[in-house]
Amino acid sequence: PVNTGARYTPGGSWTATTGTWGVSAERGYSVTDADAGLITYDANVKDGILSCIVRGTLNSGATYRSPALVFRLVEDYLGAIPSSRSYLIVRMLNAQLDLRQMLIGTETSLTTAGVTTTDGVDYHLDVIFEGIYVRVLIDGIEYITYRLDGPSLALLDGTRVGVRWDMGGVPTTAARI
């Protein structure tokens, strides 16, 4: 079927952990537009490549929408996603590409790289994660190469991937992934 821009759910094995998600013109977005809304997919991979096109309001200080890539999300022993989540995340915001970690509900930045972005423009974002190494590229240019260590090593067992909706204020550009 042709997607005519109507709201669809992501479907398949995607699970909206928080918020309601939809698809319009073949692009995912948060219908509820809730900060830290999360949709995940049990890819069952410890190493891999996430590749997507990201569009957001990325340069406006406290007013933004930044769809961010989540990977190595750790499940509990029953295969559920605990409320005190642990995962790695990559987002573009305020002229920075940011590799972050969420460990048992506490988020910190691991490393950043300066990038020039324009609101409402599509960017091809690739995250390559292999063993203890993470590489992040925008439009084919590598900006981050990072070696996990210390507490971050606990995330090596995570096998889910996903998208988190980071937001603040009321931007003028529709964000999509």
Side-chain angles (χ1 to χ4, degrees), residues 23-89:
V23 176
S24 177
E26 300 183 20
R27 302 281 178 108
Y29 70 102
S30 173
V31 175
T32 49
D33 198 31
D35 188 35
L38 184 64
I39 186 170
T40 66
Y41 179 77
D42 188 3
N44 198 24
V45 296
K46 291 187 179 183
D47 296 328
I49 300 171
L50 290 178
S51 184
C52 68
I53 296 184
V54 175
R55 176 189 307 161
T57 307
L58 309 168
N59 299 309
S60 304
T63 302
Y64 60 90
R65 294 294 182 278
S66 178
L69 292 180
V70 170
F71 57 105
R72 291 215 169 123
L73 191 143
V74 179
E75 300 171 335
D76 67 15
Y77 68 97
L78 295 174
I81 299 171
S83 58
S84 59
R85 298 180 180 99
S86 294
Y87 53 80
L88 292 169
I89 186 167

Side-chain angles (χ1 to χ4, degrees), residues 71-161:
F71 57 105
R72 291 215 169 123
L73 191 143
V74 179
E75 300 171 335
D76 67 15
Y77 68 97
L78 295 174
I81 299 171
S83 58
S84 59
R85 298 180 180 99
S86 294
Y87 53 80
L88 292 169
I89 186 167
V90 171
R91 72 176 182 186
M92 294 186 293
L93 184 60
N94 294 327
Q96 284 192 336
L97 179 62
D98 196 357
L99 172 62
R100 306 176 70 76
Q101 72 180 5
M102 175 77 80
L103 282 177
I104 312 171
T106 301
E107 186 169 339
T108 56
S109 178
L110 296 173
T111 189
T112 61
V115 295
T116 302
T117 56
T118 303
D119 292 348
V121 170
D122 288 346
Y123 294 95
H124 188 144
L125 182 62
D126 291 312
V127 179
I128 303 165
F129 50 105
E130 187 173 23
I132 59 174
Y133 296 98
V134 177
R135 296 172 44 214
V136 184
L137 297 83
I138 300 174
D139 294 335
I141 299 170
E142 188 167 335
Y143 284 88
I144 290 177
T145 300
Y146 189 81
R147 182 180 187 271
L148 299 172
D149 60 8
S152 300
L153 295 176
L155 299 171
L156 292 177
D157 288 332
T159 61
R160 278 189 175 266
V161 297

